[in-house]
């Protein structure tokens, strides 16, 4: 019997105590390092592939490593972390630490690739390692914070994501223009890119280690029940059956958010893989990946990406206030609508500095994408499966990316004559659809709050006194 989309009865969650600002800060610092790694990947992977000789129509297929690894890794890591408990390491932190070691290694190896296939393999390793580290961080907020602080918790993560992405995106540009490290090609990856990745590896490991060693975790709410469930699902087949059962019992809110996520992440994937070539064609007037102009375009795209991530870091602290005023679903709708306008406007811009304006709008959409869906989702999930469902939720991020990787190259090549700028229009249209789909999302936390409105409180008191 299938239960897809049905509202399942959920036991009342154990109320966590409110944490102080410093505690929420410490548990989020790791995302600073994670996003430095992602920023280096997002801003430079296409550049590395093209520098090593990959053609523009092959770039989306090479990028497919990123979503496929997320598709495989995140649900498995989420499931395993739900079943993990250690007195010192806790539940999620072992995966933080191991993943950060692997990711730092991949960041060192990626820019030393000598062929396209080597870079593709390193992208698989890098993305898998980052996903091992990142997935439990989403569940970490759900584990540690009461529902009233979860929006703040995810917003704090968004702040560090934005801050890390600003620095990570800027690293190659700073290496070239501040430290005067060469960005010349000479048939291999520029030194500026190599040194940027080395610095990113150090920052990644240090930031994640900060969270690992400055935080502690709560044990399972009912240790005996947790041990019983773990014993019942011991073994490969029992685990696979449990995972499959979780898929068909996804909460309705999760499926509603899936539609929003689907179109949102097509838009962002188009932005990440095509901005360098689009800016090189539209602003720097080159399609030659071996040219100095193309490398300069790559540096400038790093700056542009740092702008939208900087906006997301700033907006992270405003979003909880906005959400309290106009609800989380409406907040996300407005932010995605503005981001859609920003993506579409790139098509009409031909000046380097004017590209900063659409990045401001995209930054607002990015901040909301990293905060609102997870805050809404956390309130709809059973606590004992928080890690697993956060991993499954990643499906609705990676499946659209896989679809985009397969179709975008075909569309750009056969319908738009390899003019990458049209990917921005496609992305803008998808983000507009995502914005409108928020109208179908029901926020369970809002529904829980409704019975406690002032009029209903008065009615309850009168009934109690009668």
């Amino acid at each position: 019997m299938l239960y897809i989309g049905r509202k399942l009865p959920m036991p009342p969650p154990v109320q966590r105590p409110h944490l102080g600002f410093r505690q929420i800060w410490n548990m989020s610092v790791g995302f600073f390092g994670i996003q430095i790694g992602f920023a280096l990947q997002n801003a430079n992977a296409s550049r590395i592939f093209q520098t090593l000789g990959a053609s523009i129509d092959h770039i989306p297929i090479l990028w497919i490593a990123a979503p496929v690894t997320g598709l495989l890794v995140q649900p498995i890591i989420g499931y395993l972390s739900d079943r993990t408990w250690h007195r010192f390491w806790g539940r999620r932190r072992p995966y933080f630490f191991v993943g950060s070691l692997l990711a730092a290694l991949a960041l060192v190896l990626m820019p030393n690739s000598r062929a396209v296939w080597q870079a593709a393999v390193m992208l698989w390793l890098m993305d898998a390692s980052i996903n091992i580290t990142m997935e439990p961080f989403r569940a970490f907020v759900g584990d540690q914070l009461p529902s009233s602080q979860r929006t703040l918790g995810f917003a704090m993560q968004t702040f560090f994501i934005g801050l890390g992405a600003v620095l990570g995106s800027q690293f190659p540009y700073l290496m070239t223009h501040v430290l005067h490290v060469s960005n010349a090609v000479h048939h291999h990856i520029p030194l500026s890119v190599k040194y940027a990745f080395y610095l990113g590896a150090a920052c990644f490991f240090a930031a994640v280690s900060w969270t690992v060693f400055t935080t502690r975790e709560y044990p399972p709410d009912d240790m005996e029940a947790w041990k019983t469930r773990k014993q019942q699902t011991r073994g490969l087949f029992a685990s696979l059956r449990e995972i499959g059962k979780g898929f068909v019992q996804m909460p309705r809110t999760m499926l509603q958010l899936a539609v929003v996520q689907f179109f949102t992440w097509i838009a962002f994937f188009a932005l990440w893989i095509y901005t360098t070539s689009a800016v090189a064609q539209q602003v720097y007037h080159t399609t030659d990946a071996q040219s100095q102009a193309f490398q300069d375009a790559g540096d400038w795209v790093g700056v542009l990406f740092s702008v939208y991530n900087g906006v997301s870091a700033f907006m992270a602290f405003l979003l909880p206030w906005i959400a309290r005023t106009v609800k989380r679903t409406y907040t996300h709708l407005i932010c995605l609508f503005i981001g859609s306008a920003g993506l579409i406007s790139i098509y009409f811009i031909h000046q380097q500095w004017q590209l900063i304006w659409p990045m401001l709008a995209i930054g607002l959409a990015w901040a909301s994408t990293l905060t609102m869906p997870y805050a809404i989702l956390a309130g709809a999930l059973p606590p004992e499966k928080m890690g697993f469902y956060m991993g499954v939720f990643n499906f609705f991020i990676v499946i659209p990316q896989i679809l985009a990787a397969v179709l975008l190259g075909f569309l750009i090549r056969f319908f738009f004559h390899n003019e990458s700028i049209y990917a921005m229009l496609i992305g803008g249209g998808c983000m507009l659809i995502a914005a409108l789909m928020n109208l179908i999302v029901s926020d369970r936390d809002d529904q829980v709050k409704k019975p406690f409105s002032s009029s209903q409180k008065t009615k309850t008191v009168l009934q109690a006194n009668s």
Side-chain angles (χ1 to χ4, degrees):
M1 183 175 181
L2 297 182
Y3 296 89
I4 294 178
R6 287 183 55 183
K7 289 185 176 180
L8 299 176
M10 292 174 57
V14 175
Q15 288 299 314
R16 302 299 188 195
H18 278 61
L19 298 185
F21 182 85
R22 182 177 179 181
Q23 291 170 297
I24 299 175
W25 176 280
N26 286 340
M27 63 186 285
S28 303
V29 166
F31 248 111
F32 173 71
I34 291 171
Q35 198 56 36
I36 284 179
F38 265 133
L40 286 166
Q41 172 183 300
N42 292 341
N44 295 282
S46 292
R47 175 184 184 178
I48 289 172
F49 287 141
Q50 289 183 265
T51 300
L52 294 173
S55 61
I56 186 63
D57 54 308
H58 289 153
I59 294 298
I61 298 299
L62 292 169
W63 263 89
I64 205 170
V68 168
T69 52
L71 187 71
L72 297 173
V73 169
Q74 291 219 18
I76 294 172
I77 294 300
Y79 176 78
L80 292 175
S81 67
D82 285 338
R83 294 163 52 84
T84 298
W85 177 250
H86 187 274
R87 287 186 178 181
F88 175 77
W89 290 103
R91 174 180 289 181
R92 317 295 180 186
R93 291 180 297 132
Y95 301 92
F96 299 166
F97 190 72
V98 172
S100 67
L101 283 172
L102 295 174
L105 175 63
L107 283 164
V108 171
L109 294 176
M110 175 77 175
N112 287 290
S113 301
R114 293 288 181 174
V116 173
W117 71 267
Q118 292 177 353
V121 171
M122 287 302 104
L123 182 59
W124 281 81
L125 175 61
M126 185 190 310
D127 206 85
S129 304
I130 295 176
N131 273 289
I132 290 171
T133 313
M134 182 185 71
E135 195 284 329
F137 263 96
R138 298 297 190 189
F140 197 45
V141 170
D143 292 340
Q144 301 294 101
L145 296 178
S147 60
S148 60
Q149 284 192 304
R150 283 174 181 162
T151 301
L152 174 60
F154 287 115
M156 184 71 78
Q157 286 189 353
T158 300
F159 167 74
F160 279 112
I161 288 170
L163 186 62
V166 168
L167 290 177
S169 298
Q170 288 265 25
F171 277 175
Y173 184 88
L174 295 174
M175 289 291 175
T176 300
H177 295 87
V178 177
L179 300 180
H180 306 293
V181 178
S182 173
N183 72 343
V185 179
H186 299 307
H187 304 292
H188 57 73
I189 308 304
L191 281 177
S192 58
V193 175
K194 287 186 177 183
Y195 292 168
F197 272 69
Y198 299 162
L199 180 58
C203 292
F204 193 114
F205 182 71
V208 173
S209 295
W210 179 281
T211 291
V212 169
F213 294 111
T214 62
T215 58
R216 291 294 180 266
E217 298 183 66
Y218 296 109
D221 296 333
D222 186 335
M223 182 63 76
E224 291 305 316
W226 177 83
K227 289 179 179 178
T228 300
R229 284 194 302 271
K230 183 176 179 179
Q231 187 66 33
Q232 290 173 344
T233 56
R234 187 179 298 274
L236 177 61
F237 291 108
S239 298
L240 291 176
R241 185 171 61 250
E242 184 72 11
I243 291 173
K245 183 180 177 181
F247 273 106
V248 300
Q249 292 184 342
M250 285 186 287
R252 181 181 300 172
T253 298
M254 186 172 176
L255 291 175
Q256 293 166 342
L257 286 168
V259 181
V260 178
Q261 293 289 84
F262 180 86
F263 289 101
T264 299
W265 285 91
I266 288 179
F268 279 114
F269 199 65
L271 175 76
W272 294 335
I273 67 177
Y274 278 111
T275 301
T276 297
S277 55
V279 169
Q281 288 179 337
Q282 184 111 330
V283 177
Y284 289 81
H285 310 293
T286 183
T287 58
D288 180 8
Q290 301 298 318
S291 68
Q292 188 63 49
F294 188 92
Q295 298 302 321
D296 291 340
D299 286 347
W300 185 244
V301 167
V303 174
L304 295 176
F305 280 17
S306 73
V307 169
Y308 89 71
N309 282 291
V311 171
S312 75
F314 173 76
M315 288 302 301
F317 293 108
L318 294 181
L319 285 176
W321 177 82
I322 297 172
R324 286 195 299 269
T325 305
V326 298
K327 297 202 313 182
R328 293 187 291 209
T329 52
Y330 293 160
T331 299
H332 198 37
L333 186 156
I334 294 168
C335 292
L336 291 182
F337 182 83
I338 293 171
S340 170
L343 272 169
I344 292 171
S345 70
I346 296 174
Y347 176 82
F348 302 98
I349 294 175
H350 297 272
Q351 299 297 321
Q352 175 182 342
W353 288 97
Q354 291 179 4
L355 288 168
I356 290 176
W357 295 110
M359 293 299 149
L360 300 178
I362 293 168
L364 178 61
W366 183 233
S368 187
T369 298
L370 296 175
T371 304
M372 292 304 156
Y374 296 99
I376 295 170
L377 179 65
L381 297 181
E384 71 277 5
K385 294 185 177 180
M386 185 75 69
F388 170 70
Y389 275 125
M390 283 293 183
V392 172
F393 193 55
N394 192 58
F395 275 39
F396 310 120
I397 296 174
V398 300
I399 290 175
Q401 291 184 49
I402 293 170
L403 182 64
V406 172
L407 293 181
L408 279 178
F410 173 81
L411 293 174
I412 297 302
R413 180 178 181 183
F414 289 100
F415 290 93
F416 301 114
H417 310 292
N418 280 333
E419 294 185 46
S420 302
I421 192 64
Y422 286 97
M424 304 298 105
L425 292 180
I426 296 172
C430 288
M431 190 170 287
L432 177 59
I433 296 172
L436 296 175
M437 288 298 100
N438 279 279
L439 296 173
I440 70 170
V441 177
S442 59
D443 189 339
R444 187 175 181 274
D445 282 345
D446 281 341
Q447 295 170 358
V448 170
K449 293 173 187 175
K450 285 180 182 178
F452 298 97
S453 63
S454 58
S455 62
Q456 288 168 320
K457 282 182 179 179
T458 302
K459 182 178 178 182
T460 301
V461 171
L462 290 175
Q463 289 175 342
N465 292 332
S466 63

